[in-house]
Amino acid sequence: MRIVIAGGHGQIALRLERLLAARGDEAAGIIRKPEQADELRQLGAEPVVLDLESASVEEVAERLEGADAAVFAAGAGPGSGAGRKETVDKAAAVLFADAAVRAGVRRFVVVSSMGADPAHEGDEIFDVYLRAKGEADAYVRGQDALDWTILRPGQLTNDAGTGLVRLEAHTGRGPIPRDDVAAVLAELVDTPATAGLTLELISGPAPVSVAVKSVAGN
């Protein structure tokens, strides 16, 4: 499979690219800075330099041509202001979805956030973030031309992955290593029967493949 990942230099994306390359898939990571390209190549991924905050839908669709799946894993990051929550967490996700539709890429997986809600209230940066993610998720859900799955991890950690997770429509809050988020994404990309689901993810009792199979088709 060829899988194109937006936010290709993000912490989860780098882990996902390594996993995909190791299993023989073709991973392409969209990155903003050319100097990030070597790190992707070392993982076995193809770097695609494109700024999703300024690119047109045609430019993004061109990069998605021929892909079997698209993963939106971009984020403005914890140090960014409210403006970039709108331009990256919301607008770039909408752009990527539109580009996938244009390029005919049906399988579309979004890394969202637990608590994302277009109706979330408040003016703090994190409130703006949860609202932006919620609006992006709602937009993706409205695209009939996409076989979408939305993944909402709990509190992200850099602990070593255990390969054991809880993946359900509602899990309640809890931590999850980024390693395990990447492993779940790799499995979801391969499991189109999870299309149409919004799933929460925290550490838990089930091996990743078992957890994904158990929600597939629900």
Side-chain angles (χ1 to χ4, degrees), residues 1-212:
M1 289 177 75
R2 177 173 172 79
I3 297 132
V4 179
I5 301 157
H9 193 257
Q11 293 188 69
I12 291 170
L14 289 170
R15 289 165 166 84
L16 175 59
E17 286 152 5
R18 183 189 295 113
L19 288 175
L20 294 173
R23 76 181 191 188
D25 284 325
E26 200 180 311
I30 296 177
I31 54 177
R32 203 160 44 99
K33 300 175 181 175
E35 59 267 27
Q36 296 169 337
D38 281 347
E39 192 171 350
L40 270 69
R41 288 192 193 99
Q42 286 164 12
L43 298 173
E46 173 197 336
V48 178
V49 180
L50 186 69
D51 187 348
L52 293 176
E53 287 179 272
S54 59
S56 68
V57 68
E58 292 83 9
E59 287 171 321
V60 183
E62 196 177 304
R63 308 313 197 276
L64 282 164
E65 286 291 341
D68 298 291
V71 178
F72 186 81
S80 60
R84 293 202 71 226
K85 307 302 184 199
E86 291 289 330
T87 58
V88 179
D89 293 295
K90 179 184 172 184
V94 167
L95 173 71
F96 201 57
D98 286 344
V101 171
R102 185 167 295 211
V105 180
R106 287 202 66 92
R107 189 72 183 113
F108 194 85
V109 180
V110 177
V111 183
S112 184
S113 176
M114 201 173 282
D117 181 353
H120 183 86
E121 295 182 351
D123 302 316
E124 298 295 324
I125 296 287
F126 194 63
D127 297 322
V128 175
Y129 168 75
L130 290 176
R131 201 157 48 240
K133 293 296 275 187
E135 288 169 348
D137 292 355
Y139 185 84
V140 169
R141 285 195 194 107
Q143 304 305 305
D144 293 337
L146 296 177
D147 295 330
W148 55 265
T149 304
I150 293 168
L151 183 66
R152 293 179 166 176
Q155 179 197 345
L156 297 169
T157 75
N158 286 325
D159 296 339
T162 65
L164 296 171
V165 300
R166 186 174 170 200
L167 180 70
E168 296 168 17
H170 300 289
T171 60
R173 296 193 174 273
I176 180 78
R178 288 178 172 88
D179 287 350
D180 290 334
V181 177
V184 168
L185 287 169
E187 198 78 22
L188 286 174
V189 160
D190 243 1
T191 314
T194 58
L197 298 179
T198 300
L199 299 165
E200 294 184 349
L201 174 68
I202 57 174
S203 292
V208 166
S209 60
V210 173
V212 172

